[in-house]
Amino acid sequence: MSDIIVNGMSFSLPLFIIAVGGIYSERSGVTNLALEGFLGAGAFFGAVFTALTAGMFAATSQLPMYLSMVVAMAGGALYAVIHAVLCIKFKANQVISGVVVNILAMALTDFLTSQINAGVLGQSSDKFVLNVSTRLTFQPLASLPVIGGFFTNVYPFEFIIIAVAVVAWYAMYKTRFGMRLRACGDNPYAVDAAGCNVARIQFIAVMVSGALSGLGGMCFAYSVFGNFSTSIYTGYGYLAIAAMIFGNWKIPATLGACLLFGFARAAGYSLIQYLGLPGAYSDLIMILPYVLTLLLLMFFSKNNRAPRALGEIYDKGKR
Amino acid sequence: MSEYIVEMRHVTKRFPGIVANDDVSLGIKKGEIFALLGENGAGKSTLMSILFGMYEPDEGEVYVRGKKVEHFSPNHATAMNIGMVHQHFKLVSNYTVTENIILGMEPQKRLGGFLPVVDIKNTNQKIADLSKKFRLEVEPTKKIEDLNVSMQQRVEILKMLYREAEILIFDEPTAVLTPQEIEFLLDIIREMRRNGKTIILITHKLEEIKQVADRCAILNRGKVVGICDVAETSTKKMAELMVGREVSFTQEKSPFRPGEVKLTVDHLVVKNADGFPVVNDVSFSVRGGEIFAIAGVAGNGQVEIADAVAGLTKVSSGTITLGGKEITDAAVRARNRQGLAYIPEDRQSWGLILDFTLSENLLLRRYDQEPYCVKGVLHREKFDEKSRQLIEQFDIRSGQGEKTVVRSMSGGNQQKAIVAREIDQDAPCIIFVQPTRGLDIGAIENIHRQILEERAKGKAILLVSLELDEIMSLADTIGVIYNGQLLKIAPADTMSTNEVGQYMMGVKE
Ligand SMILES: Nc1ncnc2c1ncn2[C@@H]1O[C@H](COP(=O)(O)OP(=O)(O)O)[C@@H](O)[C@H]1O
Ligand SMILES: [Mg+2]
């Protein structure tokens, strides 16, 4: 049981922060299928940073991990500019732009990873190895029955994610900026009439989306994979989108969706281990969250309401 | 300083293919209600959008309080205390009234001394006070999507007042309102004048101008054709200036010569999503050469009847027969082929594809037939040829003829396009739902004439309208609907306007 909680949390939270990124973009009216590309590109920047600065820190230092997360956020935001420019400046179809951005991220990071490995680090590899994150166990809470799992083997990044998510929630629901952002997703013309710059708000929203995805991607790199390679593009971005939709584009509900997905996945793994099934079955478990998504969407999508102006190309002159 | 709070001098604004405002000069005095009258497409909205800073004039100058306007943007206009209620409201549907009003200038408070948060609670009270002062009766905490059109409009008004607007522009505010709501709005407008505000009222309804306005400028095809004192000018004179020719308020109607029954509706029941019968056991028939009009207060099921006949809503029970063939469950296209043309209530969502050209829209019913489509290939030049003929015949005005994107056309001309397309099918039965909603006198006259011409050709016409005047002047037979039931069916000449009105309220019998 404790295992399920530990694994569930360490998967759910990065997924959650990526989904929050998606919420930022989509609540501002910009469809975002590019989360996968954002998280990959962000993690790539973070990983390059750790690889290049590896000599400057002691092998056991945790500092590079924290720094790499900052770099991943900046990198994700930077990469998101592509999507923002295509969708907002050039008014491209947002779905197409998202897909293109994903494909581009995968190809580009794959290529650059081997090039940097060969050219700068002098080794032939298609991945950047990351050092191991410490994990924290809080006694005596960890010894509590059942909920002890929440305090056992916790990745430090889980706290960072929770803190960032709280800030993101505050900014979206309590501040001027958030109020305008959400208004853009419903009726950008109203925001324009109120004297605000719709394009700027959406641009920032997409960049925030990139930053949060980058953070999530870096956390995945440290927890699920332990390195950076293109294996990071395994559909978690799309899973985050599913969580966002299932969470009805709201931050708290999306957290619920992510926890559900994460725990379903972790429970599946535990089950396989318990039954002693061969490794091939774990692939089957990987699809569990997706199957769950499909089922849930089938039953709940009726109550779901996407932002009204989502995906609509905002054109000032249009009447 | 001149006597005018707003002055426009030789303002010209061009759009591709059209001069929307042509050398317009006018002055508006402080504290008056100034009306801007003109047909659809005359350039009223454009002119006032310039004052509100949404467009920059190509030529000419605008002065506000004697000072020349240098920068055109809504922000600058707001800073000069100018506010505008647009024809299409600009409201965020999932926000409350207060949130909508403060959007763009949200008051902040500091949580715990440093965290900035938008202060909604205190603002709610302020807005409630403002609403009370101008008798708007708006609740600040309600969500926009739960409000009706009239309420939403008052939210827009509050938005201007909250921004301390002194010059308030209303772009066709009554087009979407019921008669009672119009009265209410005109009272609000008077109340604002009492409070010293200057009001610019764009409209094409003469009675409203007569009721509230002090002075009135009349636009025709972009030009000012007259500025008059409302009290001293007759309605007829204003109408003529506006349309640019003599207008007749009543149409010549040929004698009633009914043919055989073309459309029969028998014991029709239509239920809404909640299973409530919005049309309840309705039976009637329409003969060739007859205009059968359904009168009723909005929301009593009249639109559902039309939709059921056209195939847009599911019939719960009962039958619909067209030209001797039952079509109760037939597909829309099949009904079409069977000889049914339909002019829907909501022209923008059901009648037109707004981002297609006029030519494409005019051929939506025929694009797959020869000669427009031969062996699966469309022939655009045939589209255009046909369109030019219809544009000519129905007097459809637009910037770039058949190549105009329909979205950029005025409402009246959009409606003419639908009417042209549907009439051109030469179907034996035509349904008109609110055919003249939101149109100006010129366009109304045009459409009424088309309807009567079709009647003279022996078509069976089902007319659904909320305008009692329209029904009284066109109908041969009137059915009055109340609560989903036809309370009364009688020849038009046996009923007075008053009687029909009483049935509409459900009071008679
Ligand atoms: N943004 C625009 N682009 C192109 N043409 C326009 C635009 N806005 C208005 N027009 C055209 O300018 C003319 C005047 O329009 P408008 O000011 O809306 O008229 P009104 O408000 O009097 O009905 C119309 O022919 C309309 O098609
Ligand atoms: Mg207009």
Side-chain angles (χ1 to χ4, degrees):
Chain A
M1 185 65 207
S2 174
D3 263 3
I4 297 179
I5 295 177
V6 172
N7 293 333
M9 289 300 282
S10 67
F11 182 81
S12 301
L13 288 175
L15 188 69
F16 170 53
I17 203 69
I18 295 167
V20 172
I23 292 176
Y24 259 77
S25 172
E26 301 223 329
R27 285 304 289 262
S28 84
V30 181
T31 304
N32 197 342
L33 294 186
L35 290 178
E36 182 110 346
F38 290 180
L39 80 88
F44 167 77
F45 281 105
V48 168
F49 171 80
T50 37
L52 295 183
T53 60
M56 294 158 63
F57 300 96
T60 53
S61 168
Q62 292 295 304
L63 191 59
M65 182 177 80
Y66 296 115
L67 289 177
S68 74
M69 286 179 185
V70 176
V71 175
M73 287 181 83
L78 190 71
Y79 187 71
V81 168
I82 301 178
H83 188 54
V85 168
L86 283 175
C87 295
I88 300 163
K89 179 120 205 305
F90 294 111
K91 304 191 190 310
N93 180 306
Q94 299 172 0
V95 171
I96 295 174
S97 167
V99 172
V100 166
V101 163
N102 283 342
I103 296 171
L104 185 70
M106 171 114 141
L108 215 55
T109 56
D110 189 25
F111 172 73
L112 290 175
T113 304
S114 355
Q115 288 299 306
I116 292 174
N117 265 319
V120 185
L121 304 174
Q123 58 200 30
S124 110
S125 164
D126 60 355
K127 57 178 68 165
F128 294 120
V129 180
L130 304 169
N131 52 355
V132 182
S133 168
T134 49
R135 306 183 76 158
L136 314 170
T137 299
F138 299 93
Q139 293 297 359
L141 292 173
S143 317
L144 290 174
V146 189
I147 61 160
F150 287 103
F151 305 98
T152 312
N153 280 340
V154 181
Y155 282 106
F157 69 65
E158 294 179 29
F159 299 105
I160 298 178
I161 287 176
I162 291 170
V164 171
V166 169
V167 173
W169 174 85
Y170 158 78
M172 178 163 255
Y173 287 100
K174 295 289 162 193
T175 65
R176 281 184 177 177
F177 176 74
M179 204 171 142
R180 293 172 189 180
L181 185 149
R182 285 178 293 129
C184 284
D186 187 87
N187 186 356
Y189 300 92
V191 181
D192 182 52
C196 308
N197 187 335
V198 175
R200 212 183 104 216
I201 294 170
Q202 292 184 328
F203 211 102
I204 296 174
V206 173
M207 284 184 69
V208 169
S209 178
L212 297 182
S213 305
L215 174 62
M218 201 66 228
C219 296
F220 273 141
Y222 271 103
S223 60
V224 181
F225 304 102
N227 61 49
F228 175 87
S229 69
T230 46
S231 61
I232 207 138
Y233 299 97
T234 43
Y236 295 157
Y238 291 102
L239 192 59
I241 293 173
M244 166 182 77
I245 294 173
F246 182 42
N248 217 350
W249 289 268
K250 297 198 171 87
I251 291 176
T254 300
L255 175 60
C258 290
L259 290 173
L260 191 68
F261 291 167
F263 280 80
R265 185 174 176 275
Y269 272 128
S270 294
L271 191 69
I272 282 183
Q273 262 165 14
Y274 178 73
L275 298 176
L277 292 172
Y281 282 87
S282 71
D283 289 340
L284 207 59
I285 292 306
M286 293 286 273
I287 66 169
L288 202 65
Y290 300 95
V291 173
L292 206 60
T293 311
L294 275 179
L295 289 176
L296 289 174
L297 284 181
M298 249 156 39
F299 292 112
F300 290 98
S301 58
K302 239 192 279 165
N303 312 328
N304 256 21
R305 255 182 41 178
R308 222 162 50 107
L310 180 61
E312 206 178 89
I313 292 169
Y314 170 67
D315 182 356
K316 253 182 141 165
K318 223 163 167 179
R319 299 197 291 177
Chain B
M1 217 171 115
S2 73
E3 59 170 324
Y4 296 123
I5 186 165
V6 173
E7 204 181 349
M8 304 188 116
R9 289 190 200 153
H10 308 290
V11 167
T12 298
K13 175 76 197 169
R14 298 184 192 90
F15 287 117
I18 199 160
V19 185
N21 295 136
D22 190 355
D23 193 24
V24 171
S25 297
L26 53 83
I28 297 163
K29 293 176 198 158
K30 182 166 166 42
E32 73 174 342
I33 298 179
F34 187 90
L36 205 53
L37 180 66
E39 288 186 283
N40 278 305
K44 309 178 295 289
S45 299
T46 307
L47 188 66
M48 285 305 121
S49 298
I50 290 175
L51 178 58
F52 188 59
M54 312 224 308
Y55 301 122
E56 194 160 337
D58 295 323
E59 286 160 35
E61 291 122 40
V62 180
Y63 294 83
V64 176
R65 298 185 190 85
K67 263 180 58 191
K68 187 172 170 205
V69 178
E70 303 284 354
H71 303 281
F72 288 87
S73 84
N75 281 348
H76 283 96
T78 308
M80 290 186 296
N81 302 85
I82 300 175
M84 181 161 178
V85 177
H86 300 272
Q87 225 161 339
H88 306 281
F89 302 152
K90 306 201 177 209
L91 296 170
V92 180
S93 62
N94 59 355
Y95 276 19
T96 66
V97 170
T98 298
E99 287 171 326
N100 265 283
I101 291 172
I102 61 177
L103 188 66
M105 49 183 304
E106 305 84 352
Q108 288 190 335
K109 64 179 178 197
R110 302 262 157 189
L111 206 66
F114 69 100
L115 267 188
V117 293
V118 176
D119 183 6
I120 305 254
K121 261 208 202 88
N122 288 323
T123 324
N124 276 338
Q125 187 52 48
K126 247 175 145 175
I127 286 170
D129 293 344
L130 203 57
S131 162
K132 201 174 289 159
K133 179 174 170 198
F134 289 93
R135 300 183 196 164
L136 292 168
E137 297 174 17
V138 174
E139 263 183 70
T141 50
K142 279 254 166 72
K143 270 197 180 178
I144 296 298
E145 57 202 357
D146 300 330
L147 301 181
N148 65 20
V149 179
S150 155
M151 266 311 178
Q152 293 186 3
Q153 184 176 59
R154 281 179 257 158
V155 175
E156 287 279 11
I157 296 174
L158 268 179
K159 215 157 122 187
M160 296 193 294
L161 294 173
Y162 183 78
R163 274 149 226 256
E164 299 178 338
E166 290 297 322
I167 303 165
L168 297 96
I169 307 167
F170 290 86
D171 195 351
E172 306 209 11
T174 58
V176 289
L177 302 181
T178 66
Q180 291 83 351
E181 289 167 343
I182 292 177
E183 278 310 310
F184 193 87
L185 176 72
L186 295 182
D187 279 341
I188 294 170
I189 290 181
R190 288 192 196 98
E191 185 69 28
M192 290 196 282
R193 174 172 58 184
R194 248 197 303 285
N195 280 279
K197 312 263 183 205
T198 306
I199 286 135
I200 302 170
L201 180 65
I202 300 177
T203 183
H204 52 240
K205 293 195 189 161
L206 294 158
E207 322 90 78
E208 288 160 17
I209 293 186
K210 268 284 175 205
Q211 273 189 53
V212 294
D214 301 308
R215 291 190 315 132
C216 165
I218 298 149
L219 279 182
N220 186 332
R221 300 194 180 208
K223 285 198 172 75
V224 173
V225 291
I227 296 182
C228 52
D229 255 313
V230 172
E232 290 157 18
T233 317
S234 73
T235 320
K236 191 159 172 9
K237 174 79 186 148
M238 285 195 273
E240 279 171 21
L241 280 172
M242 166 168 136
V243 183
R245 62 183 151 81
E246 288 226 10
V247 286
S248 54
F249 287 110
T250 49
Q251 297 273 350
E252 290 282 314
K253 205 168 143 188
S254 59
F256 179 40
R257 264 190 247 104
E260 57 187 83
V261 171
K262 296 249 166 89
L263 174 73
T264 312
V265 171
D266 196 32
H267 297 292
L268 178 72
V269 178
V270 178
K271 291 186 177 157
N272 67 7
D274 305 326
F276 179 81
V278 278
V279 176
N280 199 352
D281 195 19
V282 163
S283 304
F284 63 89
S285 58
V286 190
R287 292 163 288 183
E290 175 181 16
I291 297 179
F292 185 95
I294 300 181
V297 177
N300 272 292
Q302 55 270 69
V303 175
E304 284 79 2
I305 294 179
D307 281 350
V309 176
L312 299 180
T313 358
K314 223 171 108 57
V315 173
S316 294
S317 64
T319 57
I320 302 168
T321 316
L322 179 68
K325 229 176 121 178
E326 193 186 319
I327 55 159
T328 315
D329 295 314
V332 175
R333 178 140 278 218
R335 294 172 200 236
N336 233 226
R337 291 276 143 81
Q338 184 69 25
L340 183 72
Y342 181 55
I343 287 102
E345 177 183 35
D346 184 345
R347 47 184 164 257
Q348 300 215 329
S349 36
W350 291 102
L352 294 165
I353 304 180
L354 291 177
D355 289 313
F356 276 21
T357 64
L358 178 54
S359 154
E360 287 161 337
N361 270 289
L362 284 173
L363 280 121
L364 277 184
R365 294 277 198 202
R366 289 176 180 246
Y367 69 92
D368 57 342
Q369 299 162 12
E370 295 204 11
Y372 310 108
C373 176
V374 182
K375 299 193 173 65
V377 179
L378 298 180
H379 288 262
R380 296 291 178 148
E381 66 290 347
K382 295 276 188 245
F383 275 49
D384 292 347
E385 209 172 283
K386 177 76 188 171
S387 302
R388 279 195 292 273
Q389 177 219 320
L390 289 176
I391 289 170
E392 169 85 31
Q393 186 184 340
F394 289 85
D395 186 30
I396 305 168
R397 293 180 210 163
S398 61
Q400 290 143 305
E402 73 274 7
K403 301 261 185 276
T404 316
V405 173
V406 167
R407 187 184 292 279
S408 75
M409 289 168 47
S410 70
N413 285 300
Q414 290 180 351
Q415 183 72 346
K416 284 190 213 162
I418 297 176
V419 170
R421 179 183 70 213
E422 297 298 318
I423 285 183
D424 180 58
Q425 289 187 77
D426 206 18
C429 178
I430 311 177
I431 307 175
F432 289 89
V433 183
Q434 292 252 62
T436 58
R437 190 176 74 159
L439 304 191
D440 59 68
I441 302 180
I444 291 175
E445 199 192 7
N446 178 312
I447 284 172
H448 283 178
R449 200 176 55 244
Q450 305 289 354
I451 294 176
L452 288 172
E453 265 173 31
E454 293 310 299
R455 168 180 174 268
K457 284 189 216 155
K459 305 286 174 64
I461 292 167
L462 175 61
L463 169 70
V464 173
S465 175
L466 301 180
E467 305 282 341
L468 201 43
D469 292 344
E470 179 165 85
I471 287 183
M472 295 315 286
S473 73
L474 293 179
D476 298 306
T477 312
I478 297 178
V480 188
I481 192 162
Y482 178 73
N483 251 340
Q485 288 183 308
L486 277 185
L487 278 193
K488 174 91 182 168
I489 300 179
D493 46 20
T494 62
M495 280 204 279
S496 70
T497 310
N498 209 338
E499 273 177 291
V500 177
Q502 279 180 326
Y503 282 115
M504 280 165 63
M505 300 297 175
V507 288
K508 225 170 164 181
E509 284 178 352

